[in-house]
Every structure is written in C-alpha cells, then in structure tokens.
C-alpha cells in the first residue's frame, strides 16, 4: 500500500482529517485543528510481519527507492507513507518548490523518514538528527499554518508549539526504536 500523505482530504477540497497535524487551518478546522495527528506508521508497526516505511522523495530519493524495493520483496503486508505536499498546504514559494519543502520537512523533524521490517524487528531511522530550530520556518512557509495567526491569534502560538512538541516526541519515539 502506498499512502500519499497530504495530511488533508485533498480530493474533497483540503478538509481536515485524522492525519491533519494540530494547528493546521483547513476546511472544518477554520481556527486550526485542535487535536493530535494520528501516526499511521506507528499504528501499522504494531502488527506482526509488516513492512512500514515513511519516505520523502525530496529528503532522500535513494531511501525512497530502497523502501519501495524492500516493500515489494517483503513476504507479508507492506505500507509506505510518502510525504506529499499539495495545493492545500499553500506553499508560499509555489508548488514548484514542493521538493524543497519535502526536504525541509525531514530536516526540521516534521516528517521523519525510516524503514521497519516487522519480520526481523529491524528499524532503520534514515532521518538525520533534525534541526528543530528550522521547525518554525517550515510552518511559516505554508499558509495552512501561517494563517493561524490571523484566524485564531489568541491560540496560534500555543497550537503551533504543541505541533512542534508532538514532532519532537514523535522523532524521539522513532529514535528509541534504533537498536
């Protein structure tokens, strides 16, 4: 299974979903989504003999190719979750810069990339240690987050802080799986 993770219901106009991160402004979350993003990879890793990978083509093309190859060879269910910017993100530099945004998403810790083979209980964290100092820059590059300061100025700072804290916690969880 290949999941193109846009973090919204893109085919219906960019509505908030369970995969929408906290603080993101979307349809049905006009003042910013208030609860945490589900972690599909973590959920899938709970099942035995599953192959799970998170990839970002802009962050590491070779890791993406390796994950696809490993998933195809895996004797059991495989899921690859690919970070995919979409028009609903409102990338301020334009969609022509989506590859750069993908790279920054991984570099700042927003979207860690990894591979997990449940048949071997082998976890490989392909993300370098993130530079969380770049996190705010990443969020501010996209209107889905930057507009929160306009539509919900009283809660924007707190919601974006929670978004960053969730990313740090998520990365630390995945880092703890490295043996």
């Amino acid at each position: 299974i290949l999941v193109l993770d846009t973090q919204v219901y893109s085919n219906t106009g960019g509505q908030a979903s369970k995969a929408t991160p906290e603080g993101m402004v979307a349809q049905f979350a006009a003042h910013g989504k208030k609860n945490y993003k589900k972690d599909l990879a973590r959920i899938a890793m709970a099942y035995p003999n599953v192959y799970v990978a998170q990839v970002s083509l802009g962050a590491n093309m070779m890791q993406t190719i390796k994950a696809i190859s490993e998933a195809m060879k895996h004797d059991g269910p495989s899921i690859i979750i690919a970070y995919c910017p979409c028009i609903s993100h409102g990338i301020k530099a334009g969609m022509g810069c989506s590859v750069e945004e993908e790279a920054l998403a991984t570099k700042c810790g927003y979207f860690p990339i990894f591979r997990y083979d449940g048949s071997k209980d082998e976890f490989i964290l392909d993300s370098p240690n993130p530079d969380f100092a770049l996190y705010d820059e990443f969020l501010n590059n996209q209107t889905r987050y930057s507009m929160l300061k306009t539509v919900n100025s009283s809660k924007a700072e707190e919601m974006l802080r929670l978004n960053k804290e969730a990313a740090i916690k998520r990365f630390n969880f995945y880092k703890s799986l490295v043996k």
Side-chain angles (χ1 to χ4, degrees):
I1 299 170
L2 175 63
V3 176
L4 302 178
D5 185 3
T6 64
Q7 304 179 343
V8 293
Y9 292 121
S10 301
N11 62 339
T12 59
Q15 298 162 335
S17 75
K18 299 267 191 269
T20 301
E22 49 282 325
M24 183 178 146
V25 175
Q27 286 185 26
F28 306 116
H31 289 93
K33 185 168 174 252
K34 293 177 176 63
N35 53 356
Y36 288 99
K37 170 192 188 311
K38 75 174 174 187
D39 189 340
L40 180 59
R42 190 171 180 173
I43 294 166
M45 287 169 53
Y47 291 91
N49 190 36
V50 67
Y51 179 88
V52 181
Q54 277 197 176
V55 301
S56 174
L57 198 57
N60 187 331
M61 187 182 303
M62 293 310 297
Q63 184 264 357
T64 302
I65 292 168
K66 188 175 234 180
I68 292 169
S69 175
E70 290 173 355
M72 289 174 37
K73 292 174 187 172
H74 183 72
D75 185 22
S78 298
I79 183 168
I80 298 173
I81 303 156
Y83 180 67
C84 294
C86 77
I87 197 74
S88 296
H89 292 188
I91 298 171
K92 292 178 182 176
M95 285 300 292
C97 294
S98 62
V99 171
E100 291 84 356
E101 285 299 300
E102 291 172 16
L104 184 56
T106 296
K107 187 176 182 178
C108 78
Y110 182 87
F111 192 85
I113 57 175
F114 56 82
R115 293 168 289 128
Y116 172 73
D117 185 338
S119 64
K120 301 175 191 171
D121 195 26
E122 179 181 70
F123 183 86
I124 300 166
L125 182 62
D126 296 306
S127 283
N129 281 329
D131 182 354
F132 286 107
L134 298 172
Y135 202 87
D136 294 338
E137 175 188 335
F138 173 76
L139 296 182
N140 287 323
N141 284 350
Q142 302 176 26
T143 57
R144 66 179 174 153
Y145 290 114
S146 65
M147 72 185 310
L148 184 60
K149 295 171 185 162
T150 303
V151 299
N152 194 354
S153 59
S154 66
K155 297 283 186 184
E157 187 176 318
E158 176 188 357
M159 292 175 89
L160 296 178
R161 179 183 52 77
L162 290 172
N163 181 305
K164 183 176 182 178
E165 287 174 2
I168 293 168
K169 185 177 180 180
R170 189 169 41 252
F171 183 81
N172 287 334
F173 168 76
Y174 287 121
K175 191 173 182 177
S176 77
L177 299 178
V178 177
K179 294 179 182 175

